[in-house]
Amino acid sequence: MAESESPENRIAAMESTSSSTSDLNFSIRRRSTVMDSASTEMMGSEGLKSSGKACDKVKIEKQSDMKFNYRPSMPAHSGVRESPLSSDAIFKQSHAGLFNLCIVVLVAVNSRLIIENLIKYGWLINSGFWFSSKSLRDWPLFMCCLSLPAFPLAAYLVEKLAYRNCISELVVVFLHIIITTASLLYPVLVILRCDSALLSGGTLMLFACIVWLKLVSFAHTSSDMRAIAKSIDKENTASISSNADNSYDANFKSLVYFMVAPTLCYQSSYPRSASVRKGWVVRQFVKLIIFTGFMGFIIEQYINPIVQNSQHPLKGNLLYAIERVLKLSVPNLYVWLCMFYCFFHLWLNILAELLRFGDREFYKDWWNARTVEEYWRMWNMPVHKWMVRHIYFPCLRNKIPKWAALLIAFFVSAVFHELCIAVPCHMFKLWAFIGIMFQVPLVVITKFLQNKFKSSMVGNMIFWLFFSILGQPMCVLLYYHDLMNRKGKTE
């Protein structure tokens, strides 16, 4: 007994017991596995049988539905429904198919027009449209363009003297008025004295207007920053201008960056992006070249023949004038859309990327504008911000009514539109000025319609009709025939 109860015997007994237990467990697991597999096979066969029965049951139910639910006596109309194109249901569903149809029809119609134009006129594009011998002789305009940076330099010197209290505030304002006026009158005089090409004169006039707008913003902003810096009551200053940049100094680097940046509103610093995407810039340049060539193709191949074969819209048959305007409206609309895409999207984004300019909201969804006022607020954001910052709100601060401030803003816009067109054409007919000022009653009309029909796009249709379909083609015809008449008289 003692020998059997020794520790060694106990360990051997435990090992034998554990081995027998493990063997028992293994045999149980094996049997359970076999039973599970067998049961699975049985369940699988039963499942197949049950699924087959379910399919048969579904077929029987469908047959019963066909037999009873679709009998001639069953009602075909069981509820109140609207037609898909009715006013109550038209915006509750997708119209992607109709949009695709419009694209297909647009491609087909324009393809036919291209073939018809090529058969009728042949290939009209030549290199002289963009780079003619007359454009190469416009060296006075080129020299004038190179001398434009002298005006920002003069404005910087004036601000530096004002910062050091060398001149009074009245003298600062007077000098800024002289500098900004000279920056605009100097290119105008050069263009008018030289018989320059239309493209060269228009480019120089556009640069001159941009320089003028930037100089006005620099002078106005610097004056405000100088007034804040000289304020004695610091708490009152902080409450008045909590979001303003109070650190005033005539910084030459910030002025140089502002003059080349894609903005018209001066400030000492701008939001910056992290780096320059070189591959992205190259792709945008390629797009810019392609769309610029497409604009030249439309102008040479479509707009020029239509305009040359048209009479003066105000001196002929009314129906003929309407037909000419409508015929010109489609290619003119394509050119205008390409111009917008090339300048506001491609070029300004390229410039912003190269300068790491962060705020790239150069436009909003102006194509969805329901009123003319919304369009002018969204389609050209640099000019809109300039107008709001340096004309509209200063007018309101000087107790001028809102309607008068809006009228003043449109007046300034009309003057610059007329300068950019009339000066390169060497004639002042005020067609562009009248066209912009005509937008004021359209603002009132479309705003009234939007308030009356709140969920409609009537104002958007009126904008497209008067601005793109009728207004721009009419101005093109008017300026072309007046230009041809002027050339005929001078020759």
Side-chain angles (χ1 to χ4, degrees):
M1 290 292 292
E3 185 178 3
S4 63
E5 292 179 356
S6 64
E8 289 82 0
N9 294 333
R10 289 181 182 177
I11 293 174
M14 290 176 63
E15 289 178 354
S16 63
T17 305
S18 63
S19 62
S20 62
T21 305
S22 62
D23 293 338
L24 180 60
N25 291 335
F26 175 74
S27 62
I28 292 173
R29 286 198 302 269
R30 185 175 179 184
R31 262 183 275 170
S32 64
T33 304
V34 172
M35 291 178 63
D36 290 341
S37 62
S39 62
T40 303
E41 291 177 357
M42 293 177 61
M43 290 177 64
S45 60
E46 291 178 358
L48 290 174
K49 292 180 180 179
S50 62
S51 63
K53 292 180 180 179
C55 292
D56 294 338
K57 186 176 181 181
V58 170
K59 290 180 181 179
I60 293 172
E61 289 178 354
K62 287 184 177 180
Q63 289 177 359
S64 64
D65 289 340
M66 292 289 294
K67 186 175 181 180
F68 296 103
N69 293 343
Y70 294 95
R71 296 176 66 88
S73 60
M74 293 298 295
H77 307 282
S78 58
V80 178
R81 300 182 183 91
E82 293 288 341
S83 298
L85 295 179
S86 63
S87 59
D88 294 333
I90 190 171
F91 296 112
K92 297 179 181 178
Q93 55 191 320
S94 174
H95 300 285
L98 293 177
F99 180 73
N100 293 334
L101 175 63
C102 292
I103 293 178
V104 171
V105 172
L106 190 65
V107 171
V109 171
N110 284 278
S111 300
R112 184 194 66 82
L113 291 176
I114 292 174
I115 296 173
E116 180 183 355
N117 183 274
L118 292 175
I119 294 174
K120 187 175 182 179
Y121 298 107
W123 188 260
L124 300 177
I125 299 175
N126 54 69
S127 60
F129 175 75
W130 298 108
F131 302 102
S132 62
S133 59
K134 190 175 182 180
S135 298
L136 295 176
R137 292 197 302 266
D138 291 338
W139 64 268
L141 274 67
F142 181 69
M143 297 302 296
C144 177
C145 186
L146 292 180
S147 62
L148 287 179
F151 297 101
L153 179 61
Y156 165 75
L157 294 177
V158 170
E159 283 300 319
K160 203 67 178 177
L161 294 174
Y163 175 69
R164 296 178 178 177
N165 295 323
C166 297
I167 52 178
S168 63
E169 189 67 27
L170 186 62
V171 176
V172 172
V173 174
F174 178 72
L175 291 176
H176 276 306
I177 291 175
I178 293 177
I179 293 171
T180 53
T181 306
S183 67
L184 193 61
L185 290 182
Y186 170 53
V188 170
L189 295 177
V190 172
I191 295 172
L192 293 179
R193 289 181 63 88
C194 302
D195 189 15
S196 61
L198 182 62
L199 184 61
S200 303
T203 303
L204 176 59
M205 201 64 229
L206 180 62
F207 284 155
C209 292
I210 292 174
V211 170
W212 187 88
L213 294 172
K214 285 176 176 284
L215 289 179
V216 170
S217 179
F218 174 71
H220 197 183
T221 305
S222 298
S223 176
D224 188 50
M225 292 167 63
R226 191 165 54 252
I228 294 175
K230 292 180 179 180
S231 178
I232 299 175
D233 192 354
K234 300 295 182 180
E235 295 180 356
N236 190 26
T237 301
S239 63
I240 293 175
S241 57
S242 58
N243 295 324
D245 188 1
N246 298 338
S247 59
Y248 169 71
D249 187 12
N251 193 329
F252 183 72
K253 290 184 179 180
S254 63
L255 177 60
V256 172
Y257 183 84
F258 166 64
M259 295 307 297
V260 295
T263 180
L264 299 176
C265 295
Y266 174 75
Q267 57 193 61
S268 58
S269 62
Y270 295 93
R272 306 291 294 274
S273 57
S275 61
V276 177
R277 298 170 291 177
K278 297 179 181 179
W280 183 88
V281 172
V282 172
R283 290 194 297 270
Q284 303 309 307
F285 263 117
V286 173
K287 292 181 184 178
L288 183 63
I289 295 172
I290 292 174
F291 278 93
T292 303
F294 183 63
M295 277 195 298
F297 170 77
I298 296 176
I299 293 173
E300 283 283 278
Q301 200 71 32
Y302 287 93
I303 293 182
N304 282 349
I306 294 174
V307 172
Q308 292 171 3
N309 297 327
S310 302
Q311 298 178 358
H312 198 285
L314 301 181
K315 298 179 181 179
N317 188 3
L318 178 61
L319 292 178
Y320 176 81
I322 294 175
E323 187 271 337
R324 291 285 96 181
V325 169
L326 292 177
K327 189 174 183 179
L328 185 62
S329 62
V330 176
N332 180 82
L333 178 61
Y334 289 163
V335 170
W336 183 66
L337 292 176
C338 287
M339 180 276 300
F340 167 80
Y341 182 72
C342 288
F343 184 76
F344 287 96
H345 182 74
L346 295 177
W347 172 245
L348 292 184
N349 273 288
I350 289 172
L351 193 60
E353 186 69 22
L354 294 175
L355 296 173
R356 294 172 51 217
F357 188 82
D359 187 4
R360 303 182 185 182
E361 191 185 42
F362 305 121
Y363 58 90
K364 294 183 179 180
D365 57 334
W366 54 266
W367 45 88
N368 294 325
R370 301 187 188 183
T371 64
V372 175
E373 185 181 5
E374 285 185 7
Y375 163 75
W376 286 109
R377 286 204 309 262
M378 295 191 296
W379 99 279
N380 188 343
M381 293 306 295
V383 172
H384 169 69
K385 291 177 181 178
W386 187 93
M387 287 284 184
V388 170
R389 192 185 195 201
H390 301 292
I391 291 182
Y392 186 74
F393 280 119
C395 290
L396 296 183
R397 284 194 294 268
N398 286 280
K399 308 301 182 181
I400 297 177
K402 288 185 177 181
W403 65 267
L406 183 66
L407 191 64
I408 292 172
F410 271 101
F411 178 80
V412 174
S413 177
V415 169
F416 277 93
H417 277 80
E418 182 67 26
L419 285 176
C420 289
I421 299 175
V423 173
C425 294
H426 296 79
M427 61 181 184
F428 293 89
K429 294 291 185 177
L430 300 180
W431 298 125
F433 180 85
I434 294 172
I436 298 299
M437 294 306 295
F438 184 71
Q439 305 295 311
V440 177
L442 286 180
V443 168
V444 179
I445 293 173
T446 54
K447 194 171 183 178
F448 169 77
L449 293 174
Q450 179 60 28
N451 293 332
K452 188 173 182 180
F453 308 100
K454 295 185 180 298
S455 61
S456 69
M457 296 292 286
V458 178
N460 184 265
M461 296 178 183
I462 292 176
F463 152 69
W464 283 114
L465 176 64
F466 283 98
F467 190 81
S468 301
I469 305 302
L470 298 179
Q472 290 183 0
M474 179 67 75
C475 285
V476 170
L477 289 175
L478 290 171
Y479 274 106
Y480 172 79
H481 286 286
D482 291 338
L483 183 62
M484 291 298 104
N485 292 334
R486 186 190 70 83
K487 286 186 177 181
K489 292 179 181 179
T490 55
E491 292 175 357

